[in-house]
Amino acid sequence: MRVLSGIQPTGNLHLGNYLGAIRNWVWMQDDMDSDSQCFFFLADMHSITVHEGREARIRNVRDMAAALVAAGIDPDRSVLFNQARVPAHAELCWLLNGTARIGWLNRMTQFKDKVGKDREGASIGLFVYPVLQAADILLYNATHVPVGEDQKQHLELARDIATKFNTDFDVDLFTMPAPIIPKESARIMSLRDGSAKMSKSDPSDLSRINLTDDDDAIMQKVKKAKTDPEPLPETAEGLAGRPEANNLVGIFATLTGRTPDAVCADFAGKGFGAFKPALGDVLVETLRPIRERFLALRTDDAALDAILNKGAARAAAAAEPTLRAAYDAMGLMR
Ligand code: ADP
Ligand code: TRP
């Protein structure tokens, strides 16, 4: 098994990122047997599709690296790096640009969603984003790619590119990657609006629990979270039509590894006055050790950069044979 996944280092990490993505990576890493390997990287080359100043970009890469390590990614067991330190990603992307078709990219729903009506004003980078993603995956012959539902189409594109390249150049070079989409993938909603995703871009800080929030801030945000006046129902069925209640019960269930039904059974008939302090406690206990490790790691830029440098060297070595074979298959002399 070769597991690989990437995340854009775009700052302001929150509970949704942790429960929806990072925690799954840690589980996959912890489940690996000795002949398997995990590659986790910060997609900073992808992040150029979002305008950001130099300082913010540097900070965001270190923040995300620290968050991953704090959450349990072990840089000795997994290969942890940022894309920009491994030029093979950009190189293979360019080679694959000869294989990917405009028609295929035109069908990508994430591109359509991101550009909205201003297609002409969108960057070329945003358009070929999925080709770079295919390069990320194919470089390492990844077999399993843990991602959210929204990335399924990009994985299919990576398979299409791999198949066409292998056929066009009559080689058996690229491995077909499969997406790993968690079954009940935790989708955490805003604390202020149960129908909107918890997101770093929500203008209200009360809408999300940040990975850097201290115990008091977490408790306050849970206390102020929007709810309804009804008590908690006996089963999760009774949460239908109550998006805020459903979200809070879902967060409690996800954090404690129980089902929403079991959580409802425990709190049936009780109001949010009883439920919220319990939820706050679970959140505080889960996030405190992660935050403490994160803050400690963030005091030492050199140590973080050393982790990323070491990861990049391992990644570059793993990528080299595939990159060399791709140049060779195309008759390009390096
Ligand atoms: P944001 O929505 O805050 O801009 P990103 O789009 O940068 O977050 O997402 C980074 C990762 O975190 C992705 O893998 C995404 O699926 C996951 N993620 C982001 N928000 C949530 C959420 N509210 N619930 C679950 N997963 C989320
Ligand atoms: N596009 C992914 C996202 O937005 C991030 C990503 C970049 C990625 N390269 C990847 C995910 C390779 C998996 C594999 O979430």
Side-chain angles (χ1 to χ4, degrees):
M1 245 171 110
R2 267 272 171 106
V3 174
L4 172 136
S5 196
I7 189 164
Q8 283 198 60
T10 39
N12 235 354
L13 284 161
H14 53 77
L15 184 70
N17 301 138
Y18 175 63
L19 296 178
I22 302 176
R23 198 176 63 156
N24 296 329
W25 294 8
V26 175
W27 285 344
M28 290 198 85
Q29 165 193 273
D30 292 349
D31 279 351
M32 283 293 110
D33 57 36
S34 55
D35 5 290
S36 302
Q37 180 70 271
C38 287
F39 291 80
F40 297 120
F41 67 93
L42 314 174
D44 51 1
M45 298 285 277
H46 277 109
S47 82
I48 66 164
T49 56
V50 179
H51 181 75
E52 225 167 24
R54 176 175 189 278
E55 300 310 319
R57 221 183 276 290
I58 294 172
R59 189 176 58 242
N60 286 342
V61 165
R62 291 188 180 133
D63 273 352
M64 185 61 94
L68 293 179
V69 175
I73 298 297
D74 174 353
D76 290 324
R77 270 190 293 160
S78 295
V79 181
L80 175 65
F81 62 102
N82 63 302
Q83 231 176 357
R85 281 192 166 93
V86 184
H89 291 246
E91 285 187 62
L92 184 62
C93 175
W94 180 252
L95 301 188
L96 298 181
N97 278 338
T99 301
R101 307 286 95 184
I102 289 181
W104 299 354
L105 293 178
N106 272 336
R107 285 197 285 277
M108 296 294 117
T109 55
Q110 187 168 59
F111 175 74
K112 289 191 235 179
D113 290 347
K114 286 195 176 170
V115 299
K117 290 202 184 79
D118 188 19
R119 194 175 187 279
E120 296 296 302
S123 71
I124 299 286
L126 195 62
F127 189 63
V128 301
Y129 179 115
V131 183
L132 179 57
Q133 184 164 349
D136 299 337
I137 297 168
L138 301 178
L139 257 185
Y140 301 97
N141 293 310
T143 54
H144 298 75
V145 183
V147 281
E149 185 69 38
D150 64 327
Q151 296 298 312
K152 228 171 126 176
Q153 199 186 27
H154 289 169
L155 263 288
E156 278 157 22
L157 182 88
R159 297 168 66 94
D160 289 344
I161 292 176
T163 305
K164 183 165 164 57
F165 187 100
N166 285 347
T167 311
D168 286 354
F169 298 103
D170 195 20
V171 285
D172 188 17
L173 177 58
F174 295 128
T175 307
M176 293 302 139
I180 304 289
I181 297 166
K183 257 191 246 67
E184 344 81 55
S185 97
R187 195 169 147 79
I188 310 299
M189 310 309 280
S190 156
L191 299 181
R192 307 297 297 167
D193 172 1
S195 63
K197 200 176 85 121
M198 184 178 286
S199 167
K200 62 168 174 291
S201 43
D202 193 313
S204 166
D205 193 54
L206 286 176
S207 71
R208 68 186 153 259
I209 309 256
N210 302 306
L211 246 41
T212 48
D213 285 343
D214 63 19
D215 294 356
D216 281 351
I218 295 173
M219 279 299 194
Q220 282 303 319
K221 286 180 179 180
V222 173
K223 222 161 113 190
K224 290 188 180 147
K226 187 174 165 198
T227 45
D228 56 43
E230 302 298 317
L232 283 142
E234 270 159 37
T235 63
E237 242 181 0
L239 295 167
R242 301 172 64 185
E244 284 81 18
N246 187 40
N247 185 38
L248 296 186
V249 169
I251 294 175
F252 194 102
T254 306
L255 289 170
T256 53
R258 295 158 74 210
T259 61
D261 270 332
V263 175
C264 286
D266 261 11
F267 288 91
K270 294 192 181 143
F272 284 96
F275 180 72
K276 281 178 166 181
L279 173 62
D281 282 341
V282 177
L283 274 166
V284 162
E285 293 310 319
T286 307
L287 296 179
R288 187 191 295 126
I290 298 176
R291 175 179 70 246
E292 286 174 352
R293 282 193 294 270
F294 173 82
L295 293 173
L297 287 157
R298 271 322 258 120
T299 60
D300 192 346
D301 287 353
L304 273 178
D305 292 354
I307 289 175
L308 293 175
N309 266 318
K310 196 176 108 195
R314 289 167 73 194
E320 174 57 24
T322 314
L323 183 66
R324 183 198 302 269
Y327 273 101
D328 183 62
M330 298 175 78
L332 292 165
M333 277 169 293
R334 245 171 134 205

